[in-house]
């Protein structure tokens, strides 16, 4: 670790818990100029010139997202798996738009995602959500928008007469998508 060039073959992590706290700031809303602010590389690499990892695998993780601006419960994603290939953090990759978190290849997946809609009338379910980050591709399997109550109870929850939907899709593929903005 005393070297200024660190090279690892693989890192494997099982059952990690990631807690992410977000607070909206004005500087997050517009893209900052790279010459006026330090890059992530510059902030990470104070004592090391490069860090490379051939493969990073994360299995059965949990992601807890907390937004300081909202009073809602945190968003919890269980059954998270991720793999990152050919991670390289150095001066040549700090501005590389073809990488995701400094990796040439990145695959993120989540099983059995469940949340309520904003009006709390439906459950939104996804059996398997897979993101191929560097390919800008998202695949969702077993997607459903399901009413939370029976027809009669659903009608009682409405303030005015409306429709009740029950939608199911075996597979949805989004190519060339800005999945990061969609996730946010």
């Amino acid at each position: 670790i005393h070297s200024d060039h660190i090279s690892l073959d693989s890192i494997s992590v099982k059952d990690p818990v990631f807690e992410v706290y977000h607070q909206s700031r004005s500087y997050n809303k517009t893209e900052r100029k790279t010459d006026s602010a330090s890059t992530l590389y510059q902030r990470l690499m104070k004592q090391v010139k490069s860090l490379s990892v051939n493969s990073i695998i994360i299995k059965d993780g949990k992601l807890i997202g907390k937004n300081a601006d909202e009073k809602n419960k945190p968003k919890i994603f269980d059954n998270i798996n991720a793999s990152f290939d050919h991670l390289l953090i150095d001066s040549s990759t700090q501005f590389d738009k073809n990488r995701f978190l400094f990796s040439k290849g990145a695959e993120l997946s989540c099983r059995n995602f469940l949340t309520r809609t904003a009006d709390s009338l439906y459950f939104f379910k996804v059996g398997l959500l897979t993101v191929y980050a560097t390919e800008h591709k998202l695949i969702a399997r077993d997607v459903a928008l399901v009413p939370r109550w029976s027809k009669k109870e659903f009608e009682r929850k409405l303030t005015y007469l409306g429709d009740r939907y029950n939608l199911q899709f075996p597979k949805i593929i989004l190519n060339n998508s800005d999945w990061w903005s969609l996730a946010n």
Side-chain angles (χ1 to χ4, degrees), residues 8-32:
L8 303 172
D9 183 49
S10 64
I11 297 173
S12 182
V13 181
K14 183 154 174 45
D15 300 320
V17 176
F18 302 99
E19 289 191 52
V20 179
Y21 298 88
H22 177 73
Q23 184 169 6
S24 293
R25 304 278 187 188
S26 60
Y27 58 76
N28 286 335
K29 293 184 175 141
T30 59
E31 195 168 314
R32 292 190 278 173

mmCIF file of all heavy atoms in Angstrom, residues 8-32:
data_model
loop_
_atom_site.group_PDB
_atom_site.id
_atom_site.type_symbol
_atom_site.label_atom_id
_atom_site.label_comp_id
_atom_site.label_asym_id
_atom_site.label_seq_id
_atom_site.Cartn_x
_atom_site.Cartn_y
_atom_site.Cartn_z
ATOM 1 N N LEU A 8 -4.859 -4.504 -8.157
ATOM 2 C CA LEU A 8 -5.464 -5.675 -7.517
ATOM 3 C C LEU A 8 -6.161 -6.519 -8.580
ATOM 4 O O LEU A 8 -6.691 -5.983 -9.564
ATOM 5 C CB LEU A 8 -6.483 -5.236 -6.469
ATOM 6 C CG LEU A 8 -5.971 -4.324 -5.352
ATOM 7 C CD1 LEU A 8 -7.137 -3.824 -4.519
ATOM 8 C CD2 LEU A 8 -4.966 -5.060 -4.492
ATOM 9 N N ASP A 9 -6.188 -7.827 -8.364
ATOM 10 C CA ASP A 9 -6.870 -8.705 -9.314
ATOM 11 C C ASP A 9 -8.376 -8.665 -9.109
ATOM 12 O O ASP A 9 -9.126 -8.425 -10.045
ATOM 13 C CB ASP A 9 -6.356 -10.144 -9.195
ATOM 14 C CG ASP A 9 -7.001 -11.047 -10.230
ATOM 15 O OD1 ASP A 9 -7.022 -10.669 -11.419
ATOM 16 O OD2 ASP A 9 -7.503 -12.112 -9.843
ATOM 17 N N SER A 10 -8.827 -8.912 -7.881
ATOM 18 C CA SER A 10 -10.276 -8.918 -7.655
ATOM 19 C C SER A 10 -10.612 -8.556 -6.215
ATOM 20 O O SER A 10 -9.820 -8.754 -5.303
ATOM 21 C CB SER A 10 -10.874 -10.284 -7.997
ATOM 22 O OG SER A 10 -10.377 -11.273 -7.140
ATOM 23 N N ILE A 11 -11.827 -8.033 -6.080
ATOM 24 C CA ILE A 11 -12.401 -7.729 -4.777
ATOM 25 C C ILE A 11 -13.803 -8.328 -4.784
ATOM 26 O O ILE A 11 -14.573 -8.109 -5.729
ATOM 27 C CB ILE A 11 -12.487 -6.208 -4.520
ATOM 28 C CG1 ILE A 11 -11.095 -5.581 -4.485
ATOM 29 C CG2 ILE A 11 -13.244 -5.935 -3.223
ATOM 30 C CD1 ILE A 11 -11.118 -4.061 -4.407
ATOM 31 N N SER A 12 -14.138 -9.063 -3.733
ATOM 32 C CA SER A 12 -15.461 -9.659 -3.621
ATOM 33 C C SER A 12 -16.045 -9.298 -2.255
ATOM 34 O O SER A 12 -15.373 -9.459 -1.236
ATOM 35 C CB SER A 12 -15.369 -11.178 -3.770
ATOM 36 O OG SER A 12 -16.648 -11.759 -3.715
ATOM 37 N N VAL A 13 -17.280 -8.820 -2.253
ATOM 38 C CA VAL A 13 -17.938 -8.408 -1.018
ATOM 39 C C VAL A 13 -19.308 -9.072 -0.970
ATOM 40 O O VAL A 13 -20.058 -9.038 -1.946
ATOM 41 C CB VAL A 13 -18.101 -6.869 -0.954
ATOM 42 C CG1 VAL A 13 -18.753 -6.442 0.341
ATOM 43 C CG2 VAL A 13 -16.770 -6.170 -1.146
ATOM 44 N N LYS A 14 -19.670 -9.660 0.174
ATOM 45 C CA LYS A 14 -20.974 -10.299 0.341
ATOM 46 C C LYS A 14 -21.731 -9.626 1.479
ATOM 47 O O LYS A 14 -21.162 -9.311 2.511
ATOM 48 C CB LYS A 14 -20.792 -11.789 0.628
ATOM 49 C CG LYS A 14 -22.107 -12.538 0.734
ATOM 50 C CD LYS A 14 -21.948 -13.986 0.396
ATOM 51 C CE LYS A 14 -23.168 -14.819 0.607
ATOM 52 N NZ LYS A 14 -24.415 -14.317 0.150
ATOM 53 N N ASP A 15 -23.014 -9.405 1.273
ATOM 54 C CA ASP A 15 -23.933 -8.833 2.263
ATOM 55 C C ASP A 15 -23.554 -7.440 2.781
ATOM 56 O O ASP A 15 -23.726 -7.158 3.961
ATOM 57 C CB ASP A 15 -24.096 -9.779 3.462
ATOM 58 C CG ASP A 15 -24.656 -11.125 3.078
ATOM 59 O OD1 ASP A 15 -25.561 -11.158 2.224
ATOM 60 O OD2 ASP A 15 -24.192 -12.149 3.635
ATOM 61 N N PRO A 16 -23.068 -6.544 1.927
ATOM 62 C CA PRO A 16 -22.770 -5.200 2.438
ATOM 63 C C PRO A 16 -24.044 -4.373 2.580
ATOM 64 O O PRO A 16 -25.065 -4.659 1.959
ATOM 65 C CB PRO A 16 -21.874 -4.603 1.353
ATOM 66 C CG PRO A 16 -22.393 -5.228 0.104
ATOM 67 C CD PRO A 16 -22.761 -6.649 0.500
ATOM 68 N N VAL A 17 -23.974 -3.356 3.403
ATOM 69 C CA VAL A 17 -25.065 -2.389 3.546
ATOM 70 C C VAL A 17 -24.494 -1.018 3.185
ATOM 71 O O VAL A 17 -23.510 -0.579 3.785
ATOM 72 C CB VAL A 17 -25.633 -2.369 4.981
ATOM 73 C CG1 VAL A 17 -26.684 -1.289 5.132
ATOM 74 C CG2 VAL A 17 -26.203 -3.733 5.344
ATOM 75 N N PHE A 18 -25.108 -0.372 2.190
ATOM 76 C CA PHE A 18 -24.699 0.955 1.758
ATOM 77 C C PHE A 18 -25.776 1.945 2.175
ATOM 78 O O PHE A 18 -26.941 1.775 1.815
ATOM 79 C CB PHE A 18 -24.539 1.020 0.232
ATOM 80 C CG PHE A 18 -23.549 0.046 -0.321
ATOM 81 C CD1 PHE A 18 -23.974 -1.159 -0.870
ATOM 82 C CD2 PHE A 18 -22.194 0.326 -0.307
ATOM 83 C CE1 PHE A 18 -23.068 -2.063 -1.394
ATOM 84 C CE2 PHE A 18 -21.277 -0.574 -0.825
ATOM 85 C CZ PHE A 18 -21.707 -1.771 -1.369
ATOM 86 N N GLU A 19 -25.395 2.951 2.920
ATOM 87 C CA GLU A 19 -26.332 4.013 3.286
ATOM 88 C C GLU A 19 -25.899 5.272 2.553
ATOM 89 O O GLU A 19 -24.767 5.731 2.715
ATOM 90 C CB GLU A 19 -26.332 4.250 4.788
ATOM 91 C CG GLU A 19 -26.991 3.114 5.542
ATOM 92 C CD GLU A 19 -27.242 3.450 7.004
ATOM 93 O OE1 GLU A 19 -27.836 4.506 7.276
ATOM 94 O OE2 GLU A 19 -26.828 2.638 7.844
ATOM 95 N N VAL A 20 -26.813 5.817 1.756
ATOM 96 C CA VAL A 20 -26.519 6.995 0.961
ATOM 97 C C VAL A 20 -27.422 8.125 1.437
ATOM 98 O O VAL A 20 -28.647 7.984 1.467
ATOM 99 C CB VAL A 20 -26.768 6.731 -0.544
ATOM 100 C CG1 VAL A 20 -26.492 7.978 -1.360
ATOM 101 C CG2 VAL A 20 -25.907 5.573 -1.022
ATOM 102 N N TYR A 21 -26.816 9.221 1.836
ATOM 103 C CA TYR A 21 -27.552 10.404 2.280
ATOM 104 C C TYR A 21 -27.414 11.462 1.200
ATOM 105 O O TYR A 21 -26.310 11.751 0.752
ATOM 106 C CB TYR A 21 -26.987 10.933 3.598
ATOM 107 C CG TYR A 21 -27.108 9.954 4.726
ATOM 108 C CD1 TYR A 21 -26.122 9.015 4.977
ATOM 109 C CD2 TYR A 21 -28.238 9.954 5.533
ATOM 110 C CE1 TYR A 21 -26.240 8.104 6.007
ATOM 111 C CE2 TYR A 21 -28.372 9.039 6.568
ATOM 112 C CZ TYR A 21 -27.373 8.126 6.787
ATOM 113 O OH TYR A 21 -27.498 7.227 7.808
ATOM 114 N N HIS A 22 -28.534 12.034 0.792
ATOM 115 C CA HIS A 22 -28.501 13.058 -0.246
ATOM 116 C C HIS A 22 -29.222 14.302 0.233
ATOM 117 O O HIS A 22 -30.315 14.228 0.787
ATOM 118 C CB HIS A 22 -29.170 12.555 -1.526
ATOM 119 C CG HIS A 22 -29.221 13.592 -2.594
ATOM 120 N ND1 HIS A 22 -28.110 13.974 -3.299
ATOM 121 C CD2 HIS A 22 -30.235 14.337 -3.052
ATOM 122 C CE1 HIS A 22 -28.455 14.918 -4.149
ATOM 123 N NE2 HIS A 22 -29.734 15.151 -4.023
ATOM 124 N N GLN A 23 -28.597 15.424 0.007
ATOM 125 C CA GLN A 23 -29.233 16.700 0.290
ATOM 126 C C GLN A 23 -29.064 17.562 -0.943
ATOM 127 O O GLN A 23 -27.942 17.766 -1.420
ATOM 128 C CB GLN A 23 -28.599 17.384 1.501
ATOM 129 C CG GLN A 23 -29.311 18.663 1.879
ATOM 130 C CD GLN A 23 -28.846 19.182 3.234
ATOM 131 O OE1 GLN A 23 -27.925 18.668 3.842
ATOM 132 N NE2 GLN A 23 -29.499 20.216 3.700
ATOM 133 N N SER A 24 -30.170 18.041 -1.499
ATOM 134 C CA SER A 24 -30.109 18.861 -2.708
ATOM 135 C C SER A 24 -29.326 20.136 -2.430
ATOM 136 O O SER A 24 -29.532 20.796 -1.412
ATOM 137 C CB SER A 24 -31.513 19.223 -3.189
ATOM 138 O OG SER A 24 -32.162 18.061 -3.629
ATOM 139 N N ARG A 25 -28.452 20.437 -3.328
ATOM 140 C CA ARG A 25 -27.654 21.661 -3.260
ATOM 141 C C ARG A 25 -27.724 22.334 -4.631
ATOM 142 O O ARG A 25 -27.830 21.661 -5.651
ATOM 143 C CB ARG A 25 -26.183 21.351 -2.947
ATOM 144 C CG ARG A 25 -25.974 20.566 -1.681
ATOM 145 C CD ARG A 25 -26.002 21.488 -0.519
ATOM 146 N NE ARG A 25 -25.620 20.722 0.670
ATOM 147 C CZ ARG A 25 -25.686 21.184 1.869
ATOM 148 N NH1 ARG A 25 -26.090 22.402 2.082
ATOM 149 N NH2 ARG A 25 -25.365 20.447 2.894
ATOM 150 N N SER A 26 -27.618 23.628 -4.655
ATOM 151 C CA SER A 26 -27.706 24.345 -5.927
ATOM 152 C C SER A 26 -26.601 23.910 -6.883
ATOM 153 O O SER A 26 -26.814 23.826 -8.083
ATOM 154 C CB SER A 26 -27.654 25.854 -5.692
ATOM 155 O OG SER A 26 -26.440 26.195 -5.050
ATOM 156 N N TYR A 27 -25.428 23.577 -6.358
ATOM 157 C CA TYR A 27 -24.336 23.185 -7.241
ATOM 158 C C TYR A 27 -24.533 21.793 -7.842
ATOM 159 O O TYR A 27 -23.857 21.413 -8.777
ATOM 160 C CB TYR A 27 -22.975 23.280 -6.546
ATOM 161 C CG TYR A 27 -22.821 22.463 -5.289
ATOM 162 C CD1 TYR A 27 -22.628 21.087 -5.326
ATOM 163 C CD2 TYR A 27 -22.846 23.086 -4.042
ATOM 164 C CE1 TYR A 27 -22.474 20.354 -4.173
ATOM 165 C CE2 TYR A 27 -22.679 22.357 -2.880
ATOM 166 C CZ TYR A 27 -22.491 20.986 -2.953
ATOM 167 O OH TYR A 27 -22.332 20.260 -1.807
ATOM 168 N N ASN A 28 -25.476 21.001 -7.328
ATOM 169 C CA ASN A 28 -25.777 19.703 -7.927
ATOM 170 C C ASN A 28 -26.733 19.825 -9.104
ATOM 171 O O ASN A 28 -26.880 18.896 -9.882
ATOM 172 C CB ASN A 28 -26.403 18.763 -6.896
ATOM 173 C CG ASN A 28 -25.397 18.256 -5.902
ATOM 174 O OD1 ASN A 28 -24.211 18.192 -6.183
ATOM 175 N ND2 ASN A 28 -25.874 17.900 -4.726
ATOM 176 N N LYS A 29 -27.417 20.940 -9.229
ATOM 177 C CA LYS A 29 -28.432 21.085 -10.261
ATOM 178 C C LYS A 29 -27.856 21.458 -11.613
ATOM 179 O O LYS A 29 -28.448 21.219 -12.629
ATOM 180 C CB LYS A 29 -29.468 22.111 -9.819
ATOM 181 C CG LYS A 29 -30.252 21.597 -8.628
ATOM 182 C CD LYS A 29 -31.337 22.507 -8.219
ATOM 183 C CE LYS A 29 -32.104 21.830 -7.109
ATOM 184 N NZ LYS A 29 -32.537 22.631 -6.072
ATOM 185 N N THR A 30 -26.707 22.076 -11.639
ATOM 186 C CA THR A 30 -26.070 22.418 -12.899
ATOM 187 C C THR A 30 -24.727 21.728 -12.956
ATOM 188 O O THR A 30 -24.079 21.493 -11.952
ATOM 189 C CB THR A 30 -25.866 23.943 -13.032
ATOM 190 O OG1 THR A 30 -25.056 24.382 -11.954
ATOM 191 C CG2 THR A 30 -27.184 24.683 -13.037
ATOM 192 N N GLU A 31 -24.323 21.423 -14.172
ATOM 193 C CA GLU A 31 -23.054 20.734 -14.333
ATOM 194 C C GLU A 31 -21.915 21.705 -14.047
ATOM 195 O O GLU A 31 -21.851 22.793 -14.595
ATOM 196 C CB GLU A 31 -22.949 20.199 -15.761
ATOM 197 C CG GLU A 31 -21.860 19.172 -15.903
ATOM 198 C CD GLU A 31 -21.948 18.436 -17.210
ATOM 199 O OE1 GLU A 31 -23.049 18.018 -17.568
ATOM 200 O OE2 GLU A 31 -20.911 18.309 -17.869
ATOM 201 N N ARG A 32 -21.018 21.290 -13.171
ATOM 202 C CA ARG A 32 -19.899 22.150 -12.808
ATOM 203 C C ARG A 32 -18.817 22.085 -13.871
ATOM 204 O O ARG A 32 -18.620 21.071 -14.514
ATOM 205 C CB ARG A 32 -19.315 21.709 -11.464
ATOM 206 C CG ARG A 32 -20.246 21.954 -10.329
ATOM 207 C CD ARG A 32 -19.541 21.730 -9.037
ATOM 208 N NE ARG A 32 -19.528 20.288 -8.758
ATOM 209 C CZ ARG A 32 -18.868 19.758 -7.760
ATOM 210 N NH1 ARG A 32 -18.158 20.501 -6.967
ATOM 211 N NH2 ARG A 32 -18.912 18.465 -7.548
#
